[in-house]
């Protein structure tokens, strides 16, 4: 394995000095067999290959790595023929997706950073007017790959054959010190890719780490650049921030650095209202619990929670113009979704269910003898009911509504009849 020198300024902790090799503190069995096989195959074909990034960071911290990334000297076109099941994906980064032992392993070719690219080859690396990298496909060496990564803790390379960790940026020391430190100059690295700001906050929340001083100081300087990030990419980050077991901590971080407004600007206006904030906290608690229990969670539910307050405000606005509630709700959803998609994408597969959850709120709050059983049979009833429970806990509706629906679900046919009789035949939930 090559041991190399790169960079000469050893007084600057952000500059790479030399790659040190260490035996890892983790049991290699914690890393998936499929990903180790991929590394072995690449190495056997004469390429350099390592497991890298989050999986090594998490394994060192005693956490269970959730996905496995491989970095290699082999370009994507040389990776492909080595595996039976492999496809090349990605526009911003060309990557190989290899299926090994039933697992998906992401294989990325070593790349170099635009700011270190003397040739400034714009066809491989495109830089927008703002300085943000829009494409980054210039392949590089291991040394270059190390310093183009975001944080020191994410730049540790593991060679399963040698059972060694390669560290060129003092990442092991930062793991020990629980510090999130950008590699290189924060003034360059955040401008190049402002999403690194969100990543720093997410890792701080996930790992309970502090953000190193110079990295932290640069956050407020460049947070506004998040406005330039394509909505689709920001939506991916939104999911990573909240569809996890530490979403509430992510929210706290985003609020601490005043960054929430760059992701959900309409929701930001309502955060000072107790019930809106409480609904968000309850839903994030709920999500965390479900994930820890291995249950599925859908982004539509959380989106509904985040966008509910703005939707209600618009609905009230339209109702003041004498538009009837359901139509006003439709117009409000449209309005809020249209505004949100200029910030983050909102795929239809999520806005459809979100709309159902919203519409069912009307039906749950105004149930009649005629409509109640139909509402109960709606395919989105469960999600809408969970939403209703959160509303009730956050005092967004009068108490007792959720309880009535809970009783209806669990009642015997006899008691169900009784519950329905208590309803008016018209359009109000209770007499
Ligand atoms: P997790 O999977 O827990 O979110 P991760 O660190 O594995 O964390 P990924 O998005 O899977 O995050 O990225 C894998 C690795 O790619 C990172 O560890 C980092 O080395 C590098 N990386 C990802 N995004 C960036 C970025 N925006 N700039 C520089 N390097 C990045
Ligand atoms: Mg990862």
């Amino acid at each position: 394995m090559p041991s190399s020198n790169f960079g000469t300024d050893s007084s600057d902790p952000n500059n790479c000095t030399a790659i040190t090799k260490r035996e890892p503190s983790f049991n290699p069995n914690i890393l998936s067999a499929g990903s180790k096989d991929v590394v072995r195959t690449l190495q056997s074909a004469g390429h350099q290959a390592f497991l890298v990034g989050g999986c090594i960071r998490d394994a060192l911290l005693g956490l269970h790595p959730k996905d496995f990334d491989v970095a290699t000297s082999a370009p994507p076109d040389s990776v492909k023929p080595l595996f039976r099941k492999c496809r090349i994906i990605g526009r911003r980064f060309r990557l190989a997706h290899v299926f090994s032992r039933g697992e998906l392993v992401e294989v990325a070719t070593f790349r170099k950073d635009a700011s270190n690219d003397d040739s400034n080859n714009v066809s491989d690396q495109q830089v927008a007017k703002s300085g943000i990298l829009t494409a980054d496909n210039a392949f590089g060496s291991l040394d270059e790959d190390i310093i183009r990564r975001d944080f020191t803790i994410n730049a540790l390379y593991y060679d399963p054959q040698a059972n060694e960790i390669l560290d060129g940026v003092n990442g092991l020391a930062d793991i020990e010190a629980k510090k999130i430190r950008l590699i290189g100059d924060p003034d360059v690295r955040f401008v190049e890719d402002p999403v690194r700001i969100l990543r720093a906050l997410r890792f701080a929340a996930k790992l309970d780490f502090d953000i190193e001083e110079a990295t932290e100081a640069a956050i407020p300087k460049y947070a506004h650049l998040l406005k330039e990030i394509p909505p689709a990419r920001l939506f991916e980050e939104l999911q990573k921030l909240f569809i996890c077991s530490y979403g509430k901590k992510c929210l706290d971080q985003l609020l601490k650095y005043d960054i929430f407004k760059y992701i959900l600007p309409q929701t930001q206006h309502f955060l000072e209202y107790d019930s809106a904030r409480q609904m968000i906290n309850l839903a994030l608690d709920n999500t965390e619990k479900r994930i820890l229990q291995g249950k599925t969670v859908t982004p539509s539910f959380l989106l509904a929670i985040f966008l509910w307050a703005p939707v209600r405000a618009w609905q009230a606005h339209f109702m003041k113009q004498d538009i009837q509630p359901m139509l006003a709700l439709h117009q409000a959803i449209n309005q809020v979704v249209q505004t949100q998609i200029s910030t983050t994408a909102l795929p239809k597969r999520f806005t459809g269910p979100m709309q159902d959850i919203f519409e069912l709120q009307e039906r749950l709050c105004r149930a009649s003898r005629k409509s109640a059983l139909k509402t109960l049979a709606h395919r989105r009833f469960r999600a809408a009911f969970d939403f209703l429970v959160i509303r009730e806990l956050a005092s967004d509706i009068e108490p007792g509504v959720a309880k009535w629906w809970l009783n209806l679900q669990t009642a015997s046919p006899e008691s169900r009849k009784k519950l329905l009789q208590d309803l008016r035949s018209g359009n109000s939930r209770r007499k």
Side-chain angles (χ1 to χ4, degrees):
M1 202 46 53
S3 180
S4 55
N5 275 314
F6 49 117
T8 46
D9 183 6
S10 57
S11 63
D12 179 351
N14 288 329
N15 263 352
C16 298
T17 48
I19 296 179
T20 57
K21 295 179 181 179
R22 292 264 184 289
E23 201 179 311
S25 55
F26 55 74
N27 180 339
N29 289 338
I30 198 169
L31 304 170
S32 77
S35 64
K36 286 185 283 191
D37 268 3
V38 170
V39 169
R40 197 173 311 126
T41 305
L42 286 160
Q43 289 181 348
S44 303
H47 305 291
Q48 286 176 288
F50 305 92
L51 276 156
V52 67
C55 61
I56 301 306
R57 176 199 68 216
D58 289 353
L60 286 165
L61 288 166
L63 304 169
H64 259 277
K66 64 174 170 54
D67 53 31
F68 294 88
D69 296 312
V70 168
T72 178
S73 57
D77 295 336
S78 310
V79 173
K80 199 169 174 8
L82 297 176
F83 300 95
R84 213 159 48 84
K85 280 191 180 170
C86 172
R87 51 170 200 212
I88 308 296
I89 59 135
R91 260 190 316 163
R92 190 168 180 276
F93 300 132
R94 274 182 77 226
L95 295 169
H97 269 177
V98 177
F99 294 88
S100 168
R101 296 190 186 222
E103 282 177 51
L104 170 69
V105 181
E106 215 165 82
V107 180
T109 305
F110 295 152
R111 282 195 298 267
K112 60 179 155 190
D113 192 332
S115 53
N116 295 332
D117 183 13
D118 295 336
S119 65
N120 204 9
N121 184 345
V122 285
S123 67
D124 287 336
Q125 294 183 313
Q126 287 149 24
V127 183
K129 267 195 227 126
S130 57
I132 297 174
L133 264 185
T134 52
D136 182 7
N137 269 321
F139 299 134
S141 63
L142 170 62
D143 297 4
E144 288 166 324
D145 195 67
I146 293 174
I147 54 169
R148 68 95 190 161
R149 290 186 180 267
D150 48 5
F151 305 107
T152 58
I153 57 168
N154 285 348
L156 295 165
Y157 294 64
Y158 175 66
D159 177 351
Q161 300 300 103
N163 192 32
E164 274 176 349
I165 290 199
L166 278 66
D167 180 5
V169 285
N170 291 325
L172 286 169
D174 282 337
I175 293 245
E176 190 85 1
K178 295 174 166 278
K179 284 247 178 291
I180 293 166
R181 183 194 308 269
L182 266 177
I183 295 169
D185 180 356
D187 287 318
V188 174
R189 302 305 310 283
F190 276 152
V191 173
E192 214 174 69
D193 184 4
V195 166
R196 290 174 186 148
I197 294 174
L198 299 178
R199 289 175 60 83
L201 304 189
R202 179 160 62 86
F203 294 131
K206 170 177 170 168
L207 308 172
D208 233 341
F209 275 28
D210 289 327
I211 302 175
E212 173 273 334
E213 236 173 85
T215 305
E216 186 180 35
I219 292 175
K221 284 205 258 175
Y222 303 111
H224 67 277
L225 291 175
L226 286 166
K227 284 193 261 182
E228 320 254 342
I229 300 301
R233 185 155 182 236
L234 220 45
F235 181 68
E236 273 173 37
E237 293 303 318
L238 169 74
Q239 293 188 79
K240 289 187 189 167
L241 283 160
F242 295 119
I243 310 284
C244 60
S245 58
Y246 45 90
K248 225 157 97 185
K249 283 196 193 158
C250 286
L251 177 64
D252 291 341
Q253 291 282 348
L254 290 166
L255 295 175
K256 176 175 168 192
Y257 293 95
D258 197 17
I259 279 171
F260 187 78
K261 63 184 181 202
Y262 296 116
I263 305 178
L264 288 154
Q266 301 175 98
T267 312
Q268 169 86 21
H269 296 301
F270 294 91
L271 285 179
E272 66 206 50
Y273 294 95
D274 284 348
S275 76
R277 182 66 199 273
Q278 216 183 334
M279 279 181 69
I280 293 172
N281 282 340
L282 287 165
L284 291 175
D285 276 343
N286 218 12
T287 304
E288 291 178 19
K289 267 195 218 121
R290 289 185 67 90
I291 289 180
L292 292 173
Q293 293 166 353
K295 293 185 182 163
T296 54
V297 289
T298 142
S300 7
F301 189 83
L302 269 185
L303 282 177
I305 291 280
F306 280 126
L307 298 179
W308 178 241
V311 162
R312 289 288 273 179
W314 276 107
Q315 185 190 23
H317 168 85
F318 290 126
M319 281 168 67
K320 270 195 204 135
Q321 298 168 6
D322 274 343
I323 300 175
Q324 58 100 337
M326 209 45 137
L327 190 58
L329 179 66
H330 278 154
Q331 292 189 2
I333 295 170
N334 242 336
Q335 171 72 37
V336 169
V337 167
Q338 285 313 313
T339 308
Q340 180 62 28
I341 56 174
S342 63
T343 305
T344 67
L346 292 178
K348 284 229 164 55
R349 66 182 187 283
F350 300 136
T351 51
M354 178 182 86
Q355 178 149 350
D356 287 346
I357 291 172
F358 287 160
E359 283 176 12
L360 281 167
Q361 297 309 303
E362 289 288 326
R363 285 165 60 176
L364 290 167
C365 291
R366 291 167 202 270
S368 66
R369 272 179 219 160
K370 239 167 80 190
S371 70
L373 291 180
K374 241 171 94 186
T375 303
L376 195 62
H378 193 287
R379 68 188 172 127
R380 219 72 79 181
F381 171 80
R382 189 68 226 182
F385 172 72
D386 289 346
F387 194 91
L388 188 79
V389 170
I390 287 181
R391 286 181 69 195
E392 191 165 314
L393 288 171
S395 311
D396 188 50
I397 42 170
E398 58 172 290
V401 186
K403 183 85 174 78
W404 187 88
W405 282 100
L406 182 66
N407 289 342
L408 188 70
Q409 290 171 74
T410 50
S412 64
E414 239 351 86
S415 354
R416 194 173 264 194
K417 243 189 222 160
K418 171 87 183 55
L419 281 166
L420 291 171
Q421 268 162 11
D422 283 350
L423 288 176
R424 282 198 188 139
S425 48
N427 64 352
S428 174
R429 193 180 54 84
R430 279 180 293 190
K431 274 185 195 164

